[in-house]
Amino acid sequence: EIVSKLSCYLNHDSKVWSIFKEKAPKWPPTFIAHGGSDDFISHEWGLATYEKMLKMGIPAEFSLVPGMHHDMVEGEIAELLQFLNTSLEQDKSNESRSIAGEL
């Protein structure tokens, strides 16, 4: 399981925080990317969401893409794909260790 969020945030009173609080130890790795020039959703809101997730013990990465507005660009997609590949490799490694431990 992997979660990705592009140009988004959670309000400080979002009900999702209560879900995170309950599920944080088992929440999947999360990738958040935001445009540094986004004039629709402030990157500071996305960064605040990321920082709160880390404080709750949720594994997350944040990427601020300089000059990007509220859209997607090639560099952001490349970072997301790298995150997905790394996370999937870690999942495979953990699964292999789990299976080996059962033998």
Side-chain angles (χ1 to χ4, degrees):
E1 296 179 319
I2 300 167
V3 178
S4 66
K5 304 181 327 177
L6 306 176
S7 296
C8 66
Y9 72 101
L10 291 172
N11 288 323
H12 70 282
D13 60 351
S14 173
K15 293 183 187 265
V16 175
W17 294 117
S18 62
I19 295 169
F20 282 165
K21 188 175 183 179
E22 179 184 325
K23 307 278 184 181
K26 295 182 181 182
W27 196 261
T30 302
F31 176 82
I32 303 169
H34 222 288
S37 297
D38 191 334
D39 56 358
F40 185 65
I41 297 175
S42 171
H43 70 272
E44 292 170 355
W45 299 347
L47 182 59
T49 297
Y50 161 73
E51 290 172 346
K52 188 169 180 177
M53 290 173 73
L54 288 182
K55 287 179 183 175
M56 296 179 83
I58 296 171
E61 290 185 25
F62 183 87
S63 174
L64 182 63
V65 184
M68 187 178 85
H69 295 276
H70 193 73
D71 52 13
M72 294 182 355
V73 297
E74 188 175 328
E76 176 187 38
I77 300 304
E79 286 186 65
L80 173 59
L81 290 174
Q82 179 61 44
F83 173 82
L84 293 172
N85 286 330
T86 300
S87 296
L88 290 172
E89 286 299 319
Q90 288 174 351
D91 279 352
K92 284 181 188 177
S93 176
N94 291 339
E95 186 176 305
S96 295
R97 275 184 256 152
S98 176
I99 291 171
E102 294 175 5
L103 296 177

